[in-house]
Amino acid sequence: MRTEKLVIGVDRVKATELKGMVMVGIALAKLPEDIPWEPVPIKVPCSLSVTDKQIDKNTIYTATLKFKTCEELADRQKYAWRLRLLDGACKLLGSDERPYCVMEVSDTAPDVVTDNQLSEVTVTYHSRRPIATIVP
């Protein structure tokens, strides 16, 4: 069965709001209902790549989320990210403990008016667990 893996929505929340998160499987997370997710306007779709590698007999998973937005996301607080996929699933980058997600924002001022003027955001997350799918 083929699933659609296109990321069509991105939300963020301060990592401290994920208190009460429970891992119900190796890659399944149950979150409290009252998390105040902040929608981030993005140019759809955005890119998500997940890689894994062995370091000293431990598997380290790295997720890299890249998207373009018209919002200013320059605040450098610790955020967790919810990614909404085309097939209805949601992925979670981050947790309420270390390591936290790292966000990098790149603003451009093009020399041609018709070129891209959106901010390019890259969020990187390293974990010893596979990237979690959020379950109801």
Side-chain angles (χ1 to χ4, degrees):
M1 181 173 140
R2 180 169 165 75
T3 60
E4 295 297 327
K5 296 182 182 179
L6 293 176
V7 178
I8 60 167
V10 174
D11 306 300
R12 70 179 185 169
V13 70
K14 290 182 183 174
T16 56
E17 296 286 342
L18 291 181
K19 298 278 187 218
M21 176 178 85
V22 177
M23 295 302 293
V24 294
I26 189 76
L28 300 173
K30 182 151 181 66
L31 302 179
E33 302 260 340
D34 59 347
I35 293 180
W37 293 105
E38 173 191 338
V40 177
I42 63 168
K43 181 179 178 187
V44 176
C46 58
S47 152
L48 173 66
S49 65
V50 179
T51 59
D52 62 87
K53 64 181 173 181
Q54 291 288 124
I55 299 176
D56 296 329
K57 298 184 182 179
N58 293 311
T59 304
I60 303 297
Y61 296 88
T62 301
T64 304
L65 170 67
K66 294 182 181 183
F67 61 90
K68 295 179 181 170
T69 183
C70 58
E71 290 288 314
E72 281 198 31
L73 300 176
D75 58 331
R76 296 293 183 220
Q77 298 190 34
K78 297 172 182 86
Y79 283 100
W81 301 78
R82 178 176 65 179
L83 314 177
R84 291 176 276 124
L85 306 182
L86 183 62
D87 65 1
C90 289
K91 297 284 187 179
L92 177 66
L93 298 186
S95 71
D96 63 340
E97 53 192 41
R98 292 179 183 221
Y100 299 108
C101 294
V102 176
M103 179 177 68
E104 178 182 324
V105 179
S106 173
D107 285 320
T108 57
D111 58 351
V112 179
V113 176
T114 57
D115 284 353
N116 178 31
Q117 297 180 27
L118 300 174
S119 296
E120 295 180 16
V121 179
T122 302
V123 177
T124 308
Y125 178 60
H126 302 282
S127 175
R128 297 177 89 181
R129 293 181 176 260
I131 303 310
T133 299
I134 299 171
V135 295

